[in-house]
Amino acid sequence: MAIGPDSKPGALTQLWESRPADGPDGFAIAQSGAIYIALLVANQAAVIGPDGTERERFPAGPGGANGSAVPFDAPSSVRFLGTRLIVANQSYLTGDATHQAVLDVEAGAPGLPELVPPAPVQQQAAPAAKHKPRKHRKRRRHHHPHRHRG
């Protein structure tokens, strides 16, 4: 979607469409414009070019075998750390606790910094009227001498 000179959004256009059993779940963008997408159901990661063409899938075949001791098993939430992708492997469908891990996958390209919008500025409520503490006065007893009656 292009943003116009008036800061309003332009027409929405489709860049890429996943396959029916991919389950895209999180992405990160490289400085080159390539998009790295975790495919939760397919147990893969896809690389999409800036033009929307799918460049590759990792691993190429099904099963999630990625060359590490922990295969992709419902990968999600892709983030860049330098040139590496940090992928949360949640094992959502199989529930295998040995697959619940954070995986480090070399992408070979640096990522864009994440865009985190600033928190909205909240208007501060008017300060409450300050309550003046009560002044405690010492009460003095006036001592009058007793008159003795004799």
Side-chain angles (χ1 to χ4, degrees), residues 100-128:
Q100 295 170 346
V102 176
L103 303 176
D104 179 348
V105 179
E106 179 59 47
L112 289 175
E114 288 185 34
L115 176 61
V116 179
V121 177
Q122 294 184 2
Q123 292 183 354
Q124 301 221 351

Side-chain angles (χ1 to χ4, degrees), residues 65-76:
N66 57 21
S68 77
V70 178
F72 280 150
D73 185 358
S76 69

Side-chain angles (χ1 to χ4, degrees), residues 78-90:
V78 179
R79 297 291 179 258
F80 269 99
L81 181 60
T83 61
R84 300 183 330 256
L85 296 171
I86 304 303
V87 182
N89 207 38
Q90 56 182 335

